[in-house]
Every structure is written in C-alpha cells, then in structure tokens.
C-alpha cells in the first residue's frame, strides 16, 4: 500500500487513522445502511466510542409512493433517512464520509487532526464542476468511487463497443430517472424521455421518404436527359413532359438531341443520339466519383457491409455524418442516371441510417448510448428498404434477417413504425404520379399452374448459379483492383475517377445499340415484370409473337450475360452503388427468357398432357411472372436472404398466389448458392475489407474442441500492470512504449491475482485529466487498488477507470464456450484465470481470425512513403493516419493484417512481461 507524505506525521496520527477506518468498516457489502458524515463526526473516535443503536443487520426499505420498491432511490429520501441503500452509481452527498463497497474510507490523517474539516477538504477536487459541460467525457466526477465496470470516455474509431456495459448504463439511467420522478412533473419527465425514441424514428421515416422521392425524381430526369429534353419545361422528364399522350411519338414537347441540332436523317440522328448518350453517361459517372473521392469517401459502394458491421458493435466514425448523407444522395442520383449497372436500393439503407444518426444527436439519452443507437439504426435500415421497394414489412424482415446483430421485440416494433412512416411519406409525395411507391410495382391478373413448378425450380437453380459465380467474380475483380501489376498501374486504373470514367464509357458504348440495356434499370425491370396487357406502349418489343420471339429471347440472353459482367465490374467502384437492382434485372432477364420459352412451347403443343389444365382461348403462361420469380432467385443467390425476399416480392406484386413459387425458387437458389460458399455478397465484402464482424448467427461447429488455453494469448506475451508502484510519468511511458489497446491489472508481480482490466483510452484520458484539470505533477502516485492512507488530493486513483468486473473464464474451459460467449454477449475481450491468477486473454479480433480461418503471414497492406496505409483496401485504410494503437489489436496485431515489430516492449515501471511464479 502507498500513502501520501502528509499522512505520515506520527504514530498517533496513524493510530487515529486506523481507529477511524475500523469505525467506518462495518460491512463488506453495499447493503448496509448509510451513515452520514454528521453522525460519524458527532463523537470523536479518538476520545469516544461507537454510538448506540448501530446495527449490522439489514433494514427493510420503505416504499416510495406509487412506485415499486426497485425504483426507490436516495434522491427520494430526506437527509436524515437511513432506510435506503445508495444506488450503485450515485455519488456521496456533500458533508458525508465517502463509503465504498469494500468498506474502506478514503481519508487522510490530516482530516482526522481537524474533525471539523470533515471530508470536504479531502474530496474537494471531486466537487469541482467539469471544465466543459458539453463534452461527454467530462461527466460528473462524483461517480468515480463506484466499483464495477468502470467509467468510459467513449469509443475510439475502429473499435468495438461493450454491449454489456452500454445496457447496464441504460438501466442505471432509467433507475435514476424513475427514482426522481414524483407527481405530475415526474410522470411528464418520464413520458418525454420515453417519447424521444419515437420522435427520432418518425423523423427518420419522414426524411428517408422525402429523400427517396427526391432521388427518384432527380435520377429519372437526369436519365432521360441523355436522350433529350422537354422544350416547354426543362426540369420535367420524358414521362411528365408527355403526360396524357398515348404514344411517345405523338409528344411534340419532348425534343431529342438530334432534333435540337436540326439533324433529321436516320443515320445522322442515330449517331448524334449515340454520342450524347455516351457523353452524359460518362459525365454523370465522373461527377458522382468526384463527389465521393473529393468530399466523402465513406459515401462509396452500397454501405450495407459497413452498416452490418456497425450494427454488430463496431465503431466507424464519420460514416453516417451529414456530409456523407449529402454526397451519398447527390452521387446516387448521378450514378443511377449514368446507366451503369448499379442500383439505389442498398445505398438508400445507408441514407436512412445517416438521417437517423443526425436526429439521434438531438436526443442525448439515445446518442450517448451506443447500444440504443444501434437499435435505432436497425429501424432506420428497415425504412431504407421500405422506400427502396415500397415494402414496409419486407424492410423490417430485411433488417432482422440480413443486418441486425441484436434485434429484440421492441426493435421490431420500432422498425415497423419507422418503415411504415417512410412508406407513407413516399406514398404522399407520389414521385411517379401513378400511386406506385416504386416504378416496377406490378399487378398480375392470372394464376399459375401445377406444371410451372418445374420451370420455377429451374429458375431457382439459375439464381443460385448466378449468385455463386457473381460473388466469386466480383471478389476476384476487386482483389485485382487493389493489387499491383503492370495493367493495374495504368493511368485508367490507378486513378479511381479515371477507372469510373473508363467503365462508364465501355458500358455506354455497349448499351446504346441494345435497346434492353439502353433503358434505365428500373424501367427495364418494370417492363420485364409487367403483363403485356398492362403495357400501354411496348417500347422494347417484348410482346411480339410468332417468329419474332426467337430474336427477343436471344437478345434477352445477351443482355443477361453482359449485365452479369458489367455488374461484377461496377460493384466496387468509388461511387454510390447497390447490387440489389442489378441482380433483380439480371434475374428478370433470364426469367423472362424461360417464361417466353414455356409460353411458345404451350402455344405450339396445347394438347400435351402437361398442359391439360390450361383453358382454351385463354393465355396459360404469363412470362412476366417468370421474370419476377427469376428476380427473386437472383437476389436470393446473391444475398442468401430468404424470408425477406419473399415478402418484398409479394409486396411488389400484391399477388398472394405467387408466394409459393417465389418461396420454391428462393429456397433452391440459396441451396445452390451455398454450394459455392456460405457467404453472401455483403458478408463477402465484410471479409474482403477485414472488418472484425462476428455474426452471432454463424455456426461454430468448426471451432476446434480444445481448451481455450491453447488459443488464448498467454500472460507471458501480454503487458500487464501491477496495482501499485506507479507514477503518472511511468504510466505515460507504458502508453508510449506499448501500442496495445488495453492492459490487465494484477496485484503484484509475485502473486499475480487479477484485479481488472483498463483500456488504453480510459488510462490515457485519466492521466491527461489528472495533469491538466487537477494539476497533479508527473511524479504523483497512481494506483489501481484501495489505498486507505493515500491522500486523494495529491494522488491518482485509477480504479474508477478500470473494469473491476471483467468477464473471466477458467483457462481450462473449452474454446467452444469462449466463442459462444463472444457471439451471444458481444464481448470485446475475455480474461482467463486459474484460482484468481492471471493466465491469458482473448479478444474479439482473435475470435474473428479463428472463425474466418485467417492464417499467419498473410499478405500485408501496402505502406506508402509517409508510413501511412494506402487507401483502397477498405475503410480501415482510408484515414491515412500514422500506424497508431487504434489500428492494432490488443495483441499487437494491426487490424489490417500488418504486424508491427518496430516497438519492443521493455520492462518499465508498472508494465512488464509478467510470468506467474
């Protein structure tokens, strides 16, 4: 134990301190009655005896009004009441002896010499008002003297959250809120607190619906601008400009670019239209890429892999900021209009989550709790899918099945409300003026027959093949895109903007001569889904009959193959891009092909026994239904989703009759796709970017049946900190010389009993705050265990910043148990002990390596000339910062796979490579 120099003035003072300490140590738990400072100081412990009536028995607590007993709090009692147990997080009131759960009293002998000084002089620094009340780190210092998980100063970028701590913090906040809630004002306070999350959800749904409507309108206008403009009102697209005309050929307000230039010959007009189509396609794609690269790199791609990682407990700062929301929305309009094979459905999920993140900043109870923030983000993701497909229920199921890590019943209800509000807002804006939430929403008038279950199952097989091959091809392309080589070093591929321009140019050159690829993806999908009787104008020639069907079938197959390669090439560029709509378009293309083949077969052989159920003179086969089932199979093969796809397709068509064929196709597509690999496209990108995401729904049967001691990082390879013998300067040296994210704390080097765990962030902040706010010198003593003789005014007690209740397991437990605890509890680390002795440690990153089969000696990241990691290998490499501790695991392994051996770990004061005796 350590003590201050002022606490060693003589033997009499030491005896007085010991006597007073014995007087206060009445119990070893928090259930003893509260003893007020006035009671303690009423009789001098040096000259008197213990007062009468002091009992060690636990007294019954009185009920506080109408609230149940578990809501009671010392805040609701009078100053003289002794019938309430202090709340674990409540700090002592002024003029009271500070009680601790271990029964000790933090006091110096100086205060005992002058009893009238009470504890005000000793704990005066605890009463100081924070210098910056707006800083979440500057919380009330009175809650320091509480044992438990410790105080937190927030999470650094690219780190995992502590789910258990966050929910414990929320329960404690609610206890304090309800304990102080009395009367009408108290009920009003509780109502306001409970209503904040609903206000955030409603505001998020409204914002997501309005932004989605704006993106629909802007992208349609920009897409039609490639072929011409409206002469009367330039801001109208072709559909609105020619509103009311039966045929587009009769519309004189819409002027093509060849007509605007006065070129009316067929060859010349076609050439001019071709050139303008290429020009605008490349221009829109380049503008979208410039916005992303120059202003918000996090706005690229779909954002769903990152959102899934964030919902799993990872922190990616600035990923959902206001600037990302603006750039993502503008870039999405331009990218969709460019004609590249991408969609806006996935990015709309990111847009909705950005809206939720901004609104949560207005609600401190939600914004200050990372676990509650992720519940709101799960609901916002449902709103994004709701406005993307016009499917509120499908959005909720999408969030449940694909995105969310933790999805309790209350989150499902919140997701439903947010998704419903978003869909209602989109319906109110009515961007297409047709009453449809999305352009490709269709209605079918006929049912299906029993013989069609075979081609439906065949579509499921095609969807699984598409999904498996697409994921492998897309991963290979992006691995090559981020690798080095002669072709990769060319000017068109070294610069991300030039790469986007080159692919946009290639897509436009190939797409324009093929009318199916020339159309916007949403228009193409609608045409493929719709029945011929519902098409007012067959611009693509899908409803031709007779021999013309052969050419249409061939053209659809060519478009499906080209779309497959263009989608694999586009998904991964530095632009906002989703994969849902391109997959649906490809599936609709080959689905329509199968439908046309079956239709021709039935028409040519109406008397075949398999067509016996077809009625004469009535169309028996509807090719549009094959298109939507093909779209569902392709989407299932690419994403490996099941239930949510079925519900989304049902909400798109409104035909309950086709739920069973869709279920069959999706089920088979998932089975076939899983034969190529268990990961869907989003999980593959998470693995490609090396995000430390551990899905709690993953099967862990592959975990070896060995003790955790064979996998954990042993204590010999860790840097541990002893409880005493430190100064602020020595602990600063520990942080400087070691880049680990945290340190286990033990009693001393001889015993090695585990006391807790302190994170690097909390330790650094506590040391900095002690030297700046409290003006302690660097030679001030610092400790991690109870020191009854230490002067709290001149020493630094680091127990409040230490997790004194970490999750621990016996080192001989099975590895399967440790992995299950990581998956189910969302832990950041587990400490292993043997009869209290520190044995080793496992982190979330270790489990990620284990479950993903990471091998030692993987290819490292490219290091630039300035020592910064080059961008292009994921978000972890985009910040271009020095190799700091936040890019390394607790075990010294860099998150991106680069192991740093440049900093040897020397034996310094308080930190050593400790070995058990």
């Amino acid at each position: 134990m350590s003590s201050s120099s002022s606490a060693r003035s003589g033997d009499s003072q030491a005896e007085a301190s010991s006597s007073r300490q014995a007087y206060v140590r009445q119990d070893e738990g928090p259930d003893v009655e509260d003893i007020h400072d006035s009671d303690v100081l009423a009789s001098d412990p040096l000259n008197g005896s213990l007062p009468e009536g002091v009992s060690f028995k636990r007294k019954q607590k009185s009920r506080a009004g109408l609230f149940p007993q578990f809501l009671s709090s010392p805040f609701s009692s009078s100053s003289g009441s002794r019938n309430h147990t202090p709340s674990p997080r409540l700090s002592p009131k002024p003029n009271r002896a500070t009680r601790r759960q271990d029964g000790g009293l933090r006091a110096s002998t100086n205060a005992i010499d002058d009893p009238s000084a009470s504890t005000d002089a000793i704990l005066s620094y605890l009463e100081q008002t924070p210098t910056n009340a707006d800083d979440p780190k500057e919380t009330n210092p009175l809650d320091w003297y509480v044992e438990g998980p410790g105080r937190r100063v927030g999470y650094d970028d690219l780190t995992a959250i502590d789910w258990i701590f966050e929910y414990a913090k929320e329960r404690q906040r609610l206890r304090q809120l309800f304990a102080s809630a009395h009367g009408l004002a108290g009920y009003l306070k509780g109502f306001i607190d409970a209503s904040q999350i609903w206000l955030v959800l409603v505001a998020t749904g409204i914002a997501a619906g309005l932004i989605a409507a704006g993106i629909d309108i802007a992208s349609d206008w920009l897409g039609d601008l490639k072929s011409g403009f409206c002469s009367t009102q330039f801001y109208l697209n072709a559909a609105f400009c020619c509103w009311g005309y039966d045929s587009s050929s009769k519309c004189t307000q819409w002027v093509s670019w060849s007509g605007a230039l006065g070129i009316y010959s067929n060859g010349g007009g076609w050439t001019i239209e071709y050139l303008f189509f290429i020009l605008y396609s490349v221009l829109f794609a380049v503008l979208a890429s410039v916005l992303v690269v120059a202003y918000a790199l996090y706005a690229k791609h779909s954002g769903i892999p990152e959102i899934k990682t964030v919902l799993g407990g990872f922190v990616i700062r600035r990923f959902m900021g206001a600037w990302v929301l603006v750039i993502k929305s503008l870039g999405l309009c331009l990218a969709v209009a460019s004609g590249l094979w991408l969609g806006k459905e996935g990015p709309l999920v990111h847009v909705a989550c950005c809206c939720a993140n901004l609104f949560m900043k207005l609600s401190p109870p939600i914004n200050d709790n990372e676990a509650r923030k992720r519940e709101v983000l799960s609901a916002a993701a449902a709103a994004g899918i709701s406005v993307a497909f016009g499917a509120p229920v499908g959005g909720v199921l999408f969030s449940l099945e694909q995105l969310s890590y933790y999805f309790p019943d209350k989150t499902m209800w919140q997701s439903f409300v947010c998704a419903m509000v978003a869909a209602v807002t989109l319906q109110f804006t009515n961007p297409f003026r047709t009453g449809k939430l999305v352009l490709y929403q269709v209605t079918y008038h006929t049912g299906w027959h029993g013989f069609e279950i075979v081609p439906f199952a065949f579509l499921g097989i095609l969807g699984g093949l598409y999904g498996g091959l697409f994921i492998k091809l897309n991963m290979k392309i992006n691995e090559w895109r981020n690798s080095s080589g002669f072709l990769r070093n060319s000017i068109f591929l070294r610069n991300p903007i030039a790469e986007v321009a080159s692919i946009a140019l290639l897509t436009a050159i190939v797409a324009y001569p093929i009318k199916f690829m020339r159309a916007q993806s949403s228009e193409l999908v609608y045409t493929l889904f719709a029945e011929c009787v519902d098409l007012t104008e067959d611009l693509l020639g899908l409803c031709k009959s007779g021999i013309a069907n052969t050419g249409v079938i061939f053209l659809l197959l060519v478009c499906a193959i080209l779309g497959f390669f263009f989608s694999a090439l586009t998904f991964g560029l530095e632009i906002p891009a989703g994969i849902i709509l391109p997959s649906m378009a490809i599936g609709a293309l080959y689905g329509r092909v199968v439908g046309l083949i079956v239709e021709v077969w039935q028409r040519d052989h109406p008397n075949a026994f398999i067509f016996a159920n077809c009625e004469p003179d009535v169309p028996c086969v509807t090719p549009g239904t094959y298109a939507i089932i093909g779209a569902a199979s392709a989407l299932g093969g690419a994403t490996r989703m099941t239930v949510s796809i079925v519900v989304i397709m049902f909400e798109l068509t409104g035909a309950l009759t086709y739920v069973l064929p869709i279920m069959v196709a999706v089920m088979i597509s998932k089975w076939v796709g899983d034969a190529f690999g268990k990961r869907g496209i989003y999980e593959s990108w998470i693995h490609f970017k090396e995000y430390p995401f551990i899905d709690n729904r993953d099967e862990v049967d592959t975990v070896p049946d060995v003790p955790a001691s064979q996998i954990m990082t042993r204590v010999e390879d860790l840097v541990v900190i002893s409880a005493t013998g430190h100064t602020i300067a020595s602990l600063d040296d520990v942080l400087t010389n070691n880049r680990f994210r945290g340190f286990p704390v033990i009693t001393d080097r001889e015993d090695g009993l585990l006391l807790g765990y302190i994170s690097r962030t909390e330790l650094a902040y506590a040391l900095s705050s002690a030297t700046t706010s409290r003006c302690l010198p660097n030679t001030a003593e610092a400790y991690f265990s109870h020191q009854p003789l230490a002067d709290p005014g001149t020493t630094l007690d680091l127990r409040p910043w230490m997790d004194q209740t970490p999750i621990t397991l016996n080192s001989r437990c099975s590895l399967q148990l440790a992995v299950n605890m990581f998956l189910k509890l969302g832990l950041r680390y587990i400490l292993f002990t043997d009869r209290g002795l520190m044995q080793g440690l496992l982190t979330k990153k270790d489990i990620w390596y284990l479950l993903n089969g990471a091998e030692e000696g993987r290819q490292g990241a490219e290091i630039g000339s300035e020592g910064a990691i080059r961008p292009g290998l994921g978000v972890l490499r985009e910040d271009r910062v020095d190799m700091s501790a936040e890019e390394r695991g607790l075990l010294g392994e860099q998150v991106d796979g680069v192991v740093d051996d440049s900093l040897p770990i020397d034996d310094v004061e308080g930190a050593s490579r400790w070995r058990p005796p």
Side-chain angles (χ1 to χ4, degrees):
M1 295 185 180
S2 62
S3 60
S4 62
S5 59
S6 61
R8 297 178 177 176
S9 58
D11 296 337
S12 61
Q13 293 180 349
E15 294 175 358
S17 175
S18 176
S19 174
R20 177 167 178 148
Q21 181 182 356
Y23 168 70
V24 181
R25 295 179 60 91
Q26 298 182 22
D27 196 5
E28 293 298 327
D31 294 327
V32 298
E33 54 183 310
D34 191 16
I35 297 181
H36 293 223
D37 183 63
S38 58
D39 300 331
V40 176
L41 299 179
S43 58
D44 191 350
L46 299 177
N47 302 320
S49 59
L50 293 176
E52 297 292 336
V54 176
S55 174
F56 293 93
K57 295 182 179 180
R58 184 176 182 179
K59 292 187 177 182
Q60 295 292 331
K61 301 177 183 179
S62 60
R63 297 182 180 272
L66 298 177
F67 288 91
Q69 183 176 0
F70 67 87
L71 296 181
S72 61
S73 169
F75 283 158
S76 61
S77 62
S78 61
S79 60
S81 174
R82 301 182 185 181
N83 297 327
H84 293 278
T85 301
S87 174
R89 295 288 290 181
L90 295 181
S91 58
K93 294 182 180 180
N95 299 327
R96 293 186 181 182
T98 304
R99 297 296 313 279
R100 295 191 53 80
Q101 293 180 4
D102 59 7
L105 171 68
R106 179 166 306 282
S108 68
T109 55
N110 291 338
I112 299 177
D113 293 338
D114 184 10
S116 62
S118 183
T119 56
D120 290 339
I122 302 173
L123 303 179
S124 60
Y125 71 95
L126 293 178
E127 305 288 347
Q128 298 175 359
T129 303
T131 56
N132 185 7
D134 296 330
D135 189 352
K137 298 180 180 180
E138 295 288 346
T139 54
N140 187 1
L142 294 180
D143 65 348
W144 281 22
Y145 288 89
V146 179
E147 293 184 1
R151 293 182 63 194
R152 304 291 169 87
V153 297
Y155 300 98
D156 288 319
D157 195 16
L158 310 178
T159 57
I161 71 169
D162 190 337
W163 289 88
I164 297 178
F165 174 82
E166 295 299 327
Y167 279 112
K169 182 172 67 174
E170 175 63 15
R171 289 193 300 269
Q172 178 182 315
R173 186 189 70 85
L174 292 177
R175 283 198 302 267
Q176 295 186 13
L177 176 67
F178 292 138
S180 60
H182 299 288
L184 181 60
Y187 283 109
L188 181 61
K189 184 178 179 181
F191 174 78
I192 294 175
D193 181 78
S195 62
Q196 290 186 36
I197 189 170
W198 299 107
L199 294 177
V200 170
L201 293 174
V202 171
T204 300
I206 294 175
L210 293 177
I211 293 176
I215 291 175
D216 288 335
I217 296 173
S219 60
D220 285 347
W221 176 68
L222 291 174
D224 290 341
L225 195 62
K226 295 186 296 184
S227 61
F229 61 93
C230 187
S231 59
T232 56
Q233 293 172 305
F234 184 77
Y235 56 87
L236 294 179
N237 59 21
F240 287 157
C241 185
C242 300
W243 192 267
Y245 288 92
D246 296 335
S247 175
S248 59
S249 60
K250 300 179 181 179
C251 179
T252 58
Q253 286 84 2
W254 185 258
V255 180
S256 64
W257 292 111
S258 59
L261 296 178
I263 301 175
Y264 299 102
S265 62
N266 292 334
W270 189 89
T271 303
I272 293 298
E273 298 291 335
Y274 195 2
L275 293 177
F276 270 91
F277 183 88
I278 295 174
L279 175 64
Y280 276 108
S281 296
V282 176
L283 176 63
F284 293 155
V286 169
L287 288 177
S289 182
V290 168
L291 288 176
V292 169
V293 173
Y295 299 103
L297 197 58
Y298 284 142
K300 67 179 181 180
H301 303 167
S302 69
I304 289 184
E306 288 78 12
I307 291 173
K308 189 170 183 177
T309 306
V310 169
L311 294 181
F314 200 55
V315 177
I316 304 179
R317 300 204 180 278
R318 299 178 301 277
F319 177 70
M320 299 180 187
W323 198 236
V324 174
L325 173 62
V326 173
I327 299 303
K328 189 94 173 186
S329 301
L330 295 177
L332 194 57
C333 297
L334 295 167
V336 171
S338 67
L340 290 171
W341 277 75
L342 50 83
K344 62 178 180 293
E345 285 71 18
L348 280 176
V349 175
H350 188 189
V351 168
C353 290
C354 289
C355 295
N357 184 62
L358 295 179
F359 287 122
M360 280 189 292
K361 294 183 183 298
L362 304 177
S363 175
I366 302 176
N367 190 59
D368 295 341
N369 192 289
E370 293 293 334
R372 293 192 70 192
K373 287 175 66 174
R374 276 149 181 80
E375 293 180 3
V376 176
L377 292 176
S378 296
I385 292 295
S386 175
V387 296
F389 291 102
V393 179
V396 176
L397 294 177
F398 180 89
S399 178
L400 169 63
E401 183 179 4
Q402 181 66 37
L403 296 179
S404 298
Y405 182 87
Y406 178 66
F407 202 87
D409 292 341
K410 63 176 182 178
T411 304
M412 178 174 291
W413 169 234
Q414 294 165 1
S415 301
F416 178 78
V417 171
C418 191
M420 180 198 66
V421 172
V424 170
T425 303
L426 185 62
Q427 180 73 53
F428 178 78
T429 56
N430 195 12
F432 306 108
R433 294 299 183 267
T434 58
K436 298 178 180 179
L437 296 181
V438 290
L439 185 61
Y440 42 85
Q441 187 173 349
V442 295
T443 302
Y444 294 122
H445 309 289
T446 59
W448 58 283
H449 301 82
F451 70 89
E452 292 181 292
I453 200 69
V454 175
F456 292 158
F458 178 69
L459 289 177
I461 297 175
L462 291 179
L465 292 174
Y466 158 77
L469 294 176
F470 174 81
I471 292 173
K472 289 188 175 296
L473 178 61
N474 183 247
M475 290 296 101
K476 290 294 183 181
I477 290 175
N478 284 280
E479 288 174 2
W480 169 78
R481 182 174 285 154
N482 291 283
S483 63
S484 59
F486 174 76
L487 184 61
R488 174 61 192 165
N489 292 329
S490 63
I491 187 173
F492 293 104
L493 299 179
R494 186 173 64 250
N495 188 295
I497 299 177
E499 185 179 5
V500 170
S502 60
I503 295 179
L505 177 63
L506 177 63
T507 303
I509 292 175
V510 175
Y512 188 82
I514 306 174
K515 54 186 176 182
F516 290 113
M517 299 188 66
R518 187 190 313 172
Q520 292 290 104
S521 296
S522 56
E523 297 177 358
L524 173 63
V525 170
Y526 168 71
T527 306
L528 295 171
F529 282 0
E531 293 187 19
C532 289
V533 295
D534 294 330
L535 292 176
T536 57
E537 188 176 5
D538 187 15
L539 296 177
L540 301 182
L542 278 177
C543 298
K544 295 179 181 179
S545 59
I547 192 63
N549 266 336
T550 305
V552 172
I553 291 173
F554 176 76
L555 204 57
L556 290 174
L557 282 176
V558 171
C559 292
I561 296 173
L562 291 176
F564 171 80
F565 287 104
F566 280 132
S567 298
L569 197 61
T570 303
F571 193 64
L573 295 176
E574 304 284 325
I575 52 175
I579 195 56
I580 294 179
L581 188 59
S583 296
M584 292 178 61
I586 295 170
L589 286 168
Y590 67 69
R592 190 84 182 199
V593 169
V594 174
L596 289 174
I597 293 175
V598 175
E599 182 186 33
V600 171
W601 186 18
Q602 189 273 335
R603 187 182 304 163
D604 294 342
H605 305 84
N607 298 324
F609 73 96
I610 60 174
F611 305 127
N613 293 330
C614 295
E615 299 179 6
D617 301 329
V618 176
C620 184
V621 178
T622 305
T625 61
Y626 287 78
I628 200 166
I629 293 173
S633 68
L635 192 56
T639 63
R640 309 298 161 79
M641 295 185 299
T642 53
V643 179
S644 55
I645 293 179
V646 174
V647 175
I648 287 173
M649 293 302 172
F650 163 68
E651 292 185 272
L652 279 177
T653 61
L656 187 61
T657 308
Y658 286 93
V659 169
L660 181 59
I662 294 174
M663 291 176 63
V664 171
V666 171
M667 175 187 66
I668 295 177
S669 69
K670 178 174 173 56
W671 284 345
V672 176
D674 286 343
F676 291 87
K678 295 294 183 180
R679 297 190 185 98
I681 183 64
Y682 300 130
E683 291 78 14
S684 298
W685 270 90
I686 289 175
H687 183 73
F688 174 73
K689 294 185 176 182
E690 296 185 349
Y691 295 143
F693 173 76
I694 303 176
D695 196 342
N696 58 348
R697 291 164 291 193
D698 282 343
E699 298 179 359
V700 291
D701 297 336
T702 57
V703 176
D705 187 16
V706 296
S709 57
Q710 297 188 18
I711 304 296
M712 69 181 184
T713 303
R714 297 181 180 274
V715 68
E716 295 88 348
D717 300 320
L718 291 172
V719 172
V720 298
I721 301 178
S722 58
T724 58
H726 307 288
T727 62
I728 295 179
S730 67
L731 292 177
D732 276 330
D733 292 339
V734 173
L735 295 178
T736 302
N737 297 327
N738 301 281
R739 299 187 176 185
F740 305 133
R741 284 185 175 172
F743 307 92
V745 180
I746 60 173
T747 53
D748 51 54
R749 301 181 184 180
E750 287 73 23
D751 295 335
L753 291 175
L754 177 65
L755 295 181
Y757 179 90
I758 187 166
S759 174
R760 179 187 188 90
T761 307
E762 277 72 42
L763 180 58
Y765 178 77
L767 298 178
S768 175
S769 177
T771 56
T772 56
S773 300
R774 295 178 53 193
C775 300
L776 292 179
N778 289 333
T779 57
E781 184 181 359
Y783 47 86
F784 294 86
S785 62
H786 175 56
Q787 304 296 313
L789 300 180
D791 184 358
T794 58
T795 60
L796 177 60
D797 186 1
L798 291 170
R799 284 176 297 167
W801 301 98
M802 179 178 65
D803 183 1
Q804 302 182 57
T805 58
I807 300 295
T808 59
L809 290 175
N810 190 280
S811 58
R812 292 187 293 272
C813 74
S814 67
L815 180 62
Q816 182 80 37
L817 174 62
V819 171
N820 283 331
M821 292 189 69
F822 273 102
L823 296 179
K824 305 305 179 185
L825 299 180
L827 302 179
R828 305 173 72 188
Y829 51 82
I830 290 180
L831 301 175
F832 294 91
T833 61
D834 186 6
R835 289 173 294 182
L837 296 178
M838 177 69 185
Q839 298 295 320
L841 175 143
L842 271 179
T843 66
K844 187 175 183 179
K845 187 69 175 180
D846 300 329
I847 301 301
W848 183 86
Y849 277 123
L850 177 67
L851 296 181
N852 288 274
E855 300 178 356
E856 295 182 1
R858 295 178 306 161
Q859 183 178 0
E862 299 181 27
I863 307 299
S865 58
E866 299 177 358
I869 301 179
R870 293 178 182 172
L873 294 180
V875 174
L876 301 182
R877 296 177 174 87
E878 290 170 1
D879 290 338
R880 303 188 184 187
V881 296
D882 291 336
M883 307 284 282
S884 65
E886 298 312 322
E887 294 161 11
R888 305 179 186 281
L890 183 64
L891 311 182
E893 294 172 336
Q894 197 261 341
V895 174
D896 290 331
V898 179
V899 179
D900 180 41
D901 297 324
S902 60
L903 287 179
I905 304 175
D906 301 325
D907 287 342
V908 295
E909 182 72 18
S912 65
R913 291 186 179 274
W914 176 82
R915 291 175 174 79

